Amino acid sequence: MIGVIKSFKTLSMGSLALALLMGTAFGERLPTTEAPSRARAYQLFLEGTALAREGQLAAARNKLEQVLELDPEATSVHSILARLCLRQSDPVCAETEARRALASTEADAEAHRVLASLALGRYGSSHEREELTTALEHLEQATTIEPTDAWAWSIWIRLLVTDDRLDQAESVARRAAAIPGFDPALPWLSLARQLLSLGRRDQAAEVLARAGVEGPGAGPIYELLADLEAQMGDKAGEAAALEALVALRPDRAELARRLGLVRLELADPWGAQQVLRQARALRPGDPRLRIDLAAALVPLGRGDEAWELLEGVPASLASPRLLLLRARAAELAGHPARAADQIEALLERLGDEQRQSFGPALRLRAARDRLAAGQPERAIAQLDAIGEPALGVRVRLDALDQMGRVEQADAFLEKVAGSADGIELS
């Protein structure tokens, strides 16, 4: 609740600015006195609003009070003065002037906003339910008078969420989102963010998922929903939100790339390559997209295309992931020597601890690729570097056979035959 009260204090400046911009509102109720007095009142009004915009609240208040001395029935001046008093932490003046404004006409949204703010402030101190009810009633009145009052809608929704009236908050959000000319995402974002501030992330995601907003205005909803699903580790939910977002914003390469990467994590390389091609068409010079698209093509067996993409990646972006991806692409494309080159380059990049953990498996893979490339000597060199004769027995025997070293192969096989347990024959 404290967070909502702070929002009232912060947003009240926006409401004041809005009221001050409505300088012509004074014309709704010009002084009924003679022309010189009317001109003087209007001049004071202009001076007062100018001072308020400059932050000189006391001087502005003085000017507006002089206006009311000339015309006590100037409704818009009463409500602007009420806001000034609220900014000066003078609740008695604020309430008096707001009620005077409403006494002339109930259709004064600013007066209702001021009274809502006052009631909420009292509720924050006393926690009396009557004050909360009063605040909610005035917010509803403000939105009835000014249907596109984003401030009032937002605070109304957040109050309902904080008071654990989520169903009512959703109903209000749906009403606000349906107003012609109003930002349909704003009420739903207010609702979700209030839930997030209360630590109710799952509910925030659920609310956004059922908002039902369509068209370009739904973009911010899907953005927040995608981020929430990602935070919760729900990749399927994140993908669904991103799909909707990419459909709304097909010209955003980074969104398409993100969706492609999520589909890869969901083991959907076909779907990933489709959207990654879209991203690359939008940003053909981005080397990251070459890597990402290749990562989607490799599981599909398209080694030639993947290798071609990866060949164009600058050397400055070389990484273990890239080297392994190149190795796999080269293997699929039927270029085992190139694959071995990539694995050996990776081995050189590993630290001592990593080499101890992953070195044997990588060297064995490099040995297989060297053998497939017709380079048996280099295959044996990799096996020797492993330091464990029991690993890659079949690869070593095949390499020796390729070199015509039958006796050496027989001797090696006899050597390891006595310790057949754990021998890697593949």
Side-chain angles (χ1 to χ4, degrees), residues 162-227:
T162 306
D163 198 42
D164 207 22
R165 291 193 249 174
L166 185 56
D167 288 345
Q168 290 183 46
E170 279 199 54
S171 176
V172 172
R174 210 169 291 282
R175 282 171 52 190
I179 293 171
F182 191 64
D183 179 358
L186 187 144
W188 293 106
L189 294 175
S190 295
L191 196 162
R193 285 170 179 153
Q194 189 63 19
L195 285 169
L196 289 174
S197 73
L198 298 172
R200 295 156 68 177
R201 187 170 58 186
D202 288 356
Q203 282 185 302
E206 291 169 4
V207 162
L208 293 175
R210 60 176 176 258
V213 177
E214 298 179 353
I221 292 176
Y222 287 120
E223 281 182 345
L224 181 56
L225 180 57
D227 289 343

Side-chain angles (χ1 to χ4, degrees), residues 205-206 209 224-235 237-239 241:
E206 291 169 4
L224 181 56
L225 180 57
D227 289 343
L228 291 178
E229 299 287 17
Q231 291 170 23
M232 294 185 295
D234 184 348
K235 291 299 176 182
E238 183 183 0

Side-chain angles (χ1 to χ4, degrees), residues 18-144:
L18 177 63
L20 296 176
L21 287 172
M22 294 171 60
T24 56
F26 184 73
E28 296 171 3
R29 180 66 178 86
L30 289 173
T32 56
T33 52
E34 296 179 358
S37 295
R38 184 164 61 246
R40 176 59 180 159
Y42 189 61
Q43 181 62 36
L44 287 168
F45 175 78
L46 294 177
E47 292 173 2
T49 54
L51 288 166
R53 281 192 293 270
E54 295 170 3
Q56 300 183 49
L57 303 186
R61 177 175 171 178
N62 180 264
K63 296 285 186 182
L64 293 178
E65 286 172 345
Q66 291 181 56
V67 171
L68 291 173
E69 288 176 5
L70 293 171
D71 184 4
E73 302 303 319
T75 304
S76 61
V77 179
H78 280 295
S79 58
I80 293 173
L81 182 55
R83 176 63 63 181
L84 279 172
C85 291
L86 187 64
R87 291 297 303 162
Q88 289 184 301
S89 300
D90 186 344
V92 175
C93 166
E95 182 149 12
T96 299
E97 295 302 330
R99 293 202 179 281
R100 283 174 177 169
L102 293 180
S104 298
T105 172
E106 275 290 317
D108 191 318
E110 178 65 357
H112 283 294
R113 286 190 288 263
V114 169
L115 292 173
S117 183
L118 289 168
L120 186 59
R122 291 191 297 269
Y123 177 68
S125 302
S126 67
H127 297 290
E128 293 181 6
R129 301 287 301 175
E130 290 182 5
E131 299 293 355
L132 177 61
T133 300
T134 298
L136 292 170
E137 288 172 351
H138 282 296
L139 289 168
E140 185 170 9
Q141 286 293 322
T143 58
T144 300

Side-chain angles (χ1 to χ4, degrees), residues 372-390:
Q375 300 171 344
E377 297 91 345
R378 298 186 69 173
I380 289 176
Q382 286 295 339
L383 295 174
D384 288 342
I386 295 175
E388 298 178 35

Side-chain angles (χ1 to χ4, degrees), residues 146-331:
E146 293 182 8
T148 56
D149 184 348
W151 179 82
W153 283 114
S154 178
I155 299 300
W156 185 9
I157 291 166
R158 292 173 65 183
L159 278 173
L160 290 171
V161 173
T162 306
D163 198 42
D164 207 22
R165 291 193 249 174
L166 185 56
D167 288 345
Q168 290 183 46
E170 279 199 54
S171 176
V172 172
R174 210 169 291 282
R175 282 171 52 190
I179 293 171
F182 191 64
D183 179 358
L186 187 144
W188 293 106
L189 294 175
S190 295
L191 196 162
R193 285 170 179 153
Q194 189 63 19
L195 285 169
L196 289 174
S197 73
L198 298 172
R200 295 156 68 177
R201 187 170 58 186
D202 288 356
Q203 282 185 302
E206 291 169 4
V207 162
L208 293 175
R210 60 176 176 258
V213 177
E214 298 179 353
I221 292 176
Y222 287 120
E223 281 182 345
L224 181 56
L225 180 57
D227 289 343
L228 291 178
E229 299 287 17
Q231 291 170 23
M232 294 185 295
D234 184 348
K235 291 299 176 182
E238 183 183 0
L242 288 171
E243 284 166 9
L245 201 53
V246 168
L248 289 173
R249 301 171 181 174
D251 58 339
R252 296 278 296 276
E254 198 57 38
L255 286 176
R257 177 179 186 246
R258 180 178 170 187
L259 175 57
L261 293 177
V262 172
R263 283 179 171 171
L264 271 179
E265 291 185 72
L266 288 170
D268 177 19
W270 177 258
Q273 63 89 25
Q274 287 180 312
V275 75
L276 287 169
R277 289 186 192 280
Q278 178 182 339
R280 189 159 179 263
L282 292 167
R283 198 183 293 167
D286 189 341
R288 299 176 308 159
L289 289 170
R290 286 178 169 270
I291 298 171
D292 298 334
L293 180 54
L297 293 172
V298 162
L300 297 173
R302 299 182 182 179
D304 286 322
E305 187 180 357
W307 177 260
E308 184 179 347
L309 285 166
L310 295 173
E311 272 195 313
V313 174
S316 59
L317 292 181
S319 66
R321 178 201 178 206
L322 178 58
L323 292 169
L324 280 174
L325 196 55
R326 277 178 170 162
R328 183 60 181 141
E331 288 168 349

